[in-house]
Amino acid sequence: MPETGPTAADWAAAEALIRELPPDGRVLLICHVNPDGDALGSMLGFGLGLRRLGVRRMQATFPGPPEVPEPFRGLPGLDLLVPATEAYPDPDLVICFDAASESRLGELVDRLDTAGAALVLDHHASNTRFGGVHLVDPRAAATSVVAEQLLARFGVPLDAGIAECFYVALTTDTGSFRFDATTPEVHQLAARLLATGIRPGDISRRVFDTRPFGAVRLFGEVLGRARLEPAAAAGRGLVWTWATLDDLARHDQRPYVLEALIDSVRCTAEADVSCVLKQTAPGEWAISMRSKGAVDVSRVAVALGGGGHRFAAGFTGRGAAEEVVAAIRGQLDAALIPTAVG
Ligand code: AMP
Ligand code: MN
Ligand code: MN
């Protein structure tokens, strides 16, 4: 897939969809299922920007239970959120955020057909180009980068509310400016966001560095059972662990607390590939994978029905945990990045 961004025609088409909204047109914003900081931050920041443009009838939503993960409950623009069950059935315009494929829209996927028009803002190289108009930039560190560029075309000034949403998105997807996606442009955008007066220390503490004591103990247990397979991925190594619904229940924790687990697992020096299996139902797992550079984990994920980025990807796994890991193991060699071989 070419690493090129939207064309001038794509930008013009996206602008036209918004400019040509009928008076009192209804806009529905949708981000991906199990929303992360980029999904919620790009969607809510863009929604606040549209509001400044005078769009009055607007909803933001995501598929599945309408629960916002605790780390994001301080985000500006949360008043835009409605449960998926209450989302406009036939909006004039639907805008999708951070979703690489239709499957990430869950039960809201029908809006692509029932809406007057569909605009897609994303940065996954694996984006399937669903919907009508695409602003998909695989070079962008986060979907919020694309969202900010579109708002800038309308002359919407960054206020502290919009800035906080986009900052959360940017820090989430760059691992707080640690990943290679952290380009000079990322720091330039971060500088403009910080110039609105938002407080990076407060935001980071809330979003990344706060969890209930029960989650701390749960992490201890789940990390304690991690398995290291040095021979996997042609000797690059695999480390993995799993967390069940029973683990969550015993520690009285909500599923989203597990999203931070992969960051503790991927530290393992002896493994290039890391993986966390998070049980979502009996025999069903949400899989998070990361690579340090030897393996294209998005290839593994796509082969197993999911998607993502080269070094961060996921899919839905079925069966026993051991079976799911066997399926991953079986895909690792084919996903070795050629320049890293030998
Ligand atoms: P996560 O491990 O949930 O942080 O996800 C890492 C990356 O993989 C993100 O870019 C997600 O969009 C993508 N991803 C995770 N789960 C899935 C899935 N079931 N289907 C498609 N992409 C996924
Ligand atoms: Mn995301
Ligand atoms: Mn993203």
Side-chain angles (χ1 to χ4, degrees):
M1 194 137 337
E3 291 268 308
T4 55
T7 63
D10 293 330
W11 286 109
E15 271 188 71
L17 286 183
I18 290 167
R19 276 194 212 288
E20 289 160 16
L21 267 176
D24 269 333
R26 290 153 309 145
V27 178
L28 179 64
L29 313 178
I30 308 178
C31 70
H32 67 68
V33 66
N34 297 328
D36 54 23
D38 188 29
L40 284 169
S42 62
M43 174 172 77
L44 296 176
F46 194 78
L48 290 172
L50 283 184
R51 193 181 258 170
R52 286 193 73 131
L53 276 176
V55 176
R56 277 174 307 213
R57 299 176 73 194
M58 179 170 31
Q59 295 177 331
T61 192
F62 51 85
E67 188 181 22
V68 174
E70 177 68 34
F72 307 124
R73 284 190 201 152
L75 275 179
L78 285 178
D79 58 297
L80 289 168
L81 275 184
V82 299
T85 49
E86 289 168 27
Y88 300 132
D90 55 352
D92 295 283
L93 174 63
V94 66
I95 311 180
C96 303
F97 295 84
D98 204 36
S101 64
E102 288 174 86
S103 65
R104 303 284 282 161
L105 303 178
E107 71 270 24
L108 290 160
V109 69
D110 67 312
R111 302 311 196 279
L112 295 173
D113 296 320
T114 60
L119 169 62
V120 172
L121 272 60
D122 189 31
H123 69 128
H124 291 89
S126 65
N127 186 287
T128 61
R129 302 301 197 267
F130 68 91
V133 176
H134 311 111
L135 294 181
V136 178
D137 192 348
R139 303 161 310 178
T143 296
S144 65
V145 173
V146 182
E148 194 268 343
Q149 286 170 351
L150 185 54
L151 285 186
R153 286 179 168 251
F154 288 94
V156 177
L158 287 175
D159 60 28
I162 298 172
E164 179 162 339
C165 289
F166 287 169
Y167 189 82
V168 166
L170 199 58
T171 51
T172 297
D173 272 23
T174 59
S176 297
F177 309 109
R178 285 174 298 170
F179 303 156
D180 281 337
T182 311
T183 57
E185 291 74 27
V186 163
H187 278 296
Q188 280 154 2
L189 174 56
R192 282 187 285 126
L193 299 174
L194 290 175
T196 64
I198 58 171
R199 304 276 306 260
D202 288 349
I203 295 170
S204 297
R205 197 170 312 109
R206 230 184 309 128
V207 173
F208 302 112
D209 295 337
T210 303
R211 65 181 63 109
F213 185 57
V216 172
R217 294 178 58 106
L218 169 64
F219 275 35
E221 211 175 293
V222 174
L223 290 173
R225 65 166 84 113
R227 304 220 185 140
L228 177 65
E229 302 185 15
R236 310 284 171 176
L238 167 70
V239 58
W240 61 279
T241 191
W242 72 97
T244 65
L245 292 173
D246 182 59
D247 294 325
L248 286 169
R250 265 183 295 105
H251 292 279
D252 193 23
Q253 293 303 305
R254 307 289 305 140
Y256 58 74
V257 305
L258 299 173
E259 297 309 312
L261 250 179
I262 188 72
D263 289 321
S264 301
V265 179
R266 69 180 172 83
C267 301
T268 307
E270 295 87 344
D272 181 84
V273 180
S274 51
C275 179
V276 173
L277 289 73
K278 297 162 280 188
Q279 192 181 31
T280 48
E284 190 183 286
W285 309 82
I287 314 297
S288 283
M289 289 183 295
R290 301 291 184 268
S291 160
K292 291 183 190 150
V295 172
D296 180 349
V297 286
S298 77
R299 279 190 65 169
V300 179
V302 168
L304 299 174
H309 307 282
R310 231 167 173 215
F311 302 134
F315 67 98
T316 301
R318 297 204 164 77
E322 283 284 1
E323 291 167 345
V324 175
V325 175
I328 293 170
R329 220 181 272 122
Q331 295 292 334
L332 289 176
D333 288 7
L336 282 170
I337 293 170
T339 53
V341 177

